[in-house]
Amino acid sequence: MNDPLPAAPMPDTIANDLALAIHEHRLMPGTKLSEEELGEIYGVSRTIIRAALQRLAHDRLVELKRNRGAYVAQPTVREAREVFEARALLEPRTARSAAERITEDDLAALQRHIDEEHAAIDDGEAGRALFLSGQFHLEIARIADQATITEFITQLVARSSLIIALYWHRRGALCESHAHHALMRAFAERDADLAEELMKNHLLDLLSSLDLRNRTSAPASLREALGA
Amino acid sequence: MNDPLPAAPMPDTIANDLALAIHEHRLMPGTKLSEEELGEIYGVSRTIIRAALQRLAHDRLVELKRNRGAYVAQPTVREAREVFEARALLEPRTARSAAERITEDDLAALQRHIDEEHAAIDDGEAGRALFLSGQFHLEIARIADQATITEFITQLVARSSLIIALYWHRRGALCESHAHHALMRAFAERDADLAEELMKNHLLDLLSSLDLRNRTSAPASLREALGA
DNA sequence: CCGATTCGGATTGTATACAATGTTGTGTCG
DNA sequence: CGACACAACATTGTATACAATCCGAATCGG
């Protein structure tokens, strides 16, 4: 009798699917996204695919080159810095708000996220672990109950995934787990100051774990071409 | 011999044109944007129009209702608050950065913006004055040289214009002029602390000049139907 | 032998045609 | 007379066909 969900439109479904693949590093930066090929994969016409690609391009996950097609974006060094500066501006204050408002249910949900992340790491599913790591940040934004800021963070987290694909250096496995656990404790104790500070440092750590010396965006596509 | 500009694609041109009309309050919230009608106006097929509308929808300037068409967005009270909270998070720090980096040329450009704004006010072009007022904020973000954050602010400023259309209360004419002038002085003196503080207060003033007591978004469309 | 040029294939950009859905007006039944 | 049901219309959603553009390879000329 009731259809509260109007059934997600096709283009958004596909866009989300592609975004997930990008987030999990199954689609690497520079990969060409042919309209016809995607159309066959999803069993729809290019019309739908184009809409999905346009949406992803707006989120900077895909770069649309006129008359040349769509490619998984390759953020520049500068863009990488800017994304993390924007996150540093938004997320610590968001973590503070979340700590002030968090409920027991929220805490449980966050803990589940962390557990899932660990499970993915143990199973060797690095891509999925990275995605869940991003979801942890998003969950915090959601708890802060600021939809507009949450959307910005969503976009920044997704772009961070691309940046990590291109510039990740440290190979430490549980690099983030520690930071997320510390945040969890701060939330559990409703320590807003601590949560804000931990998030700030966490983002600085993330940034410093990247190798942002140079990269003209050419090497990445070359590696793609040669590797696969 | 040289075409450095690949000629803006048609959809973006139209999207910008519509965004400008919305920003200048020539298109009011709730206005229906028929695909065929727009197609005739711009002399293109619905394909192009749909792409433009999709882009505007992503920026929250247009609301796409499935199988029902596109309408100029009507931000809710909550959305209005969130937009200004996001601005309060981003713009003061951005103003600080701008103050630290600003050049003489930038100062001159900012002054021109203010002068244009005054000219528009004097000419009774309220819509254009509002647009230019937004451009002032954007120019500051541009000076801060953070493209990513600038994009966020661009979107927030545009949405603010919709919010003002729906919730503006104070009818004071030069409400903003004073604040912008004060900011100019802070920039001229490279006083980063002052610039940050002034921007923070300016945004609080803006927010407090709105009447955000209630409005379920239905009244707005009703007034639309009855008033005009 | 090397470089510029042109032709062919492939891919995207746009328009149009058709299908699906929502809305509105009318007619009938209670 | 009012409410419900149905049908005609209008608008959007999707697929397909055609045009424009770009890339690469083969060819021609130096």
Side-chain angles (χ1 to χ4, degrees):
Chain A
M1 293 311 141
N2 57 349
D3 289 21
L5 306 184
M10 209 61 209
D12 280 22
T13 305
I14 294 175
N16 288 335
D17 197 53
L18 288 174
L20 180 61
I22 291 172
H23 208 145
E24 289 184 348
H25 289 185
R26 296 202 335 263
L27 282 174
M28 290 299 278
T31 304
K32 164 134 199 188
L33 300 172
S34 155
E35 294 181 358
E36 187 164 348
E37 189 177 355
L38 289 173
E40 286 181 16
I41 291 172
Y42 288 102
V44 296
S45 87
R46 282 175 47 218
T47 307
I48 311 291
I49 301 297
R50 281 180 75 80
L53 290 176
Q54 194 176 320
R55 188 163 104 49
L56 292 171
H58 198 279
D59 287 339
R60 306 283 190 182
L61 262 58
V62 158
E63 192 178 352
L64 250 72
K65 303 187 180 180
R66 183 157 179 92
N67 285 322
R68 294 190 47 194
Y71 299 81
V72 178
Q74 301 181 131
T76 62
V77 171
R78 160 156 202 178
E79 204 180 325
R81 276 194 232 278
E82 285 188 350
V83 165
F84 278 94
E85 289 191 38
R87 291 186 65 171
L89 213 50
L90 293 173
E91 295 201 57
R93 290 270 291 270
T94 301
R96 161 179 289 278
S97 299
E100 289 166 352
R101 307 175 34 93
I102 199 163
T103 68
E104 290 303 320
D105 285 350
D106 292 331
L107 279 172
L110 272 184
Q111 188 58 55
R112 276 197 300 278
H113 267 282
I114 288 187
D115 292 342
E116 274 191 68
E117 191 181 337
H118 279 187
I121 290 176
D122 292 344
D123 294 356
E125 298 177 1
R128 176 133 194 94
L130 179 64
F131 169 73
L132 290 168
S133 165
Q135 291 304 108
F136 181 81
H137 286 249
L138 284 186
E139 186 69 11
I140 291 171
R142 193 193 59 73
I143 291 167
D145 200 35
Q146 289 273 346
T148 301
I149 291 173
T150 298
E151 267 176 48
F152 289 153
I153 294 178
T154 302
Q155 197 184 125
L156 292 171
V157 165
R159 291 170 74 177
S160 295
S161 177
L162 278 176
I163 290 164
I164 288 170
L166 283 175
Y167 302 108
W168 184 259
H169 201 238
R170 276 195 216 156
R171 292 297 173 188
L174 28 144
C175 43
E176 298 208 34
S177 289
H178 176 66
H180 286 188
H181 268 117
L183 273 165
M184 263 302 288
R185 281 195 295 275
F187 285 131
E189 296 174 19
R190 269 80 172 176
D191 189 335
D193 288 332
L194 181 59
E196 180 172 356
E197 188 67 16
L198 284 173
M199 180 62 85
K200 187 176 132 202
N201 289 331
H202 176 37
L203 289 170
L204 287 176
D205 280 353
L206 265 176
L207 181 57
S208 70
S209 74
L210 301 178
D211 178 14
L212 292 182
R213 275 169 299 190
N214 58 351
R215 168 145 335 171
T216 59
S217 89
S221 64
L222 274 184
R223 183 169 63 165
E224 248 297 306
L226 300 177
Chain B
M1 295 311 144
N2 57 348
D3 288 23
L5 305 184
M10 208 62 205
D12 281 23
T13 304
I14 294 175
N16 288 336
D17 197 54
L18 289 173
L20 180 61
I22 292 172
H23 209 144
E24 289 184 350
H25 289 185
R26 297 203 335 265
L27 282 173
M28 289 301 277
T31 304
K32 163 132 198 187
L33 301 172
S34 155
E35 295 180 357
E36 187 164 345
E37 190 177 353
L38 289 173
E40 285 180 18
I41 290 171
Y42 288 102
V44 296
S45 88
R46 281 175 49 218
T47 308
I48 311 291
I49 301 297
R50 282 178 74 80
L53 290 176
Q54 193 177 322
R55 188 163 103 53
L56 292 170
H58 198 279
D59 288 339
R60 305 283 190 188
L61 263 59
V62 158
E63 192 177 353
L64 284 176
K65 303 185 180 181
R66 182 157 180 92
N67 286 321
R68 294 189 45 193
Y71 299 80
V72 178
Q74 300 182 133
T76 62
V77 171
R78 161 155 201 178
E79 201 180 326
R81 277 194 229 278
E82 286 189 349
V83 164
F84 277 94
E85 288 191 40
R87 291 186 67 171
L89 214 49
L90 292 173
E91 294 200 57
R93 290 270 291 271
T94 301
R96 162 180 288 279
S97 299
E100 289 166 351
R101 307 175 35 93
I102 199 164
T103 69
E104 290 303 321
D105 285 350
D106 292 331
L107 279 171
L110 272 183
Q111 188 58 54
R112 276 196 300 276
H113 268 281
I114 289 187
D115 293 342
E116 274 190 69
E117 191 181 338
H118 279 186
I121 291 175
D122 292 343
D123 293 356
E125 298 178 0
R128 175 133 195 93
L130 179 64
F131 169 73
L132 290 169
S133 165
Q135 291 303 109
F136 181 81
H137 285 250
L138 284 186
E139 186 70 11
I140 290 171
R142 195 193 57 74
I143 290 167
D145 200 36
Q146 290 272 346
T148 300
I149 292 173
T150 298
E151 268 176 46
F152 289 152
I153 294 178
T154 302
Q155 197 184 125
L156 292 171
V157 165
R159 291 169 75 177
S160 296
S161 177
L162 278 176
I163 291 163
I164 287 169
L166 283 176
Y167 302 107
W168 183 258
H169 202 238
R170 276 195 216 155
R171 293 296 174 190
L174 28 145
C175 42
E176 298 210 33
S177 290
H178 175 68
H180 286 189
H181 268 117
L183 272 166
M184 264 301 288
R185 281 195 295 276
F187 285 131
E189 296 175 19
R190 269 80 173 175
D191 190 334
D193 288 332
L194 182 59
E196 181 172 355
E197 190 67 15
L198 284 174
M199 180 62 85
K200 187 176 133 200
N201 290 330
H202 176 38
L203 289 171
L204 287 175
D205 280 352
L206 265 176
L207 181 56
S208 71
S209 74
L210 302 177
D211 179 14
L212 293 181
R213 274 167 302 190
N214 58 352
R215 171 149 327 172
T216 60
S217 93
S221 62
L222 273 184
R223 182 169 66 165
E224 252 293 309
L226 300 176

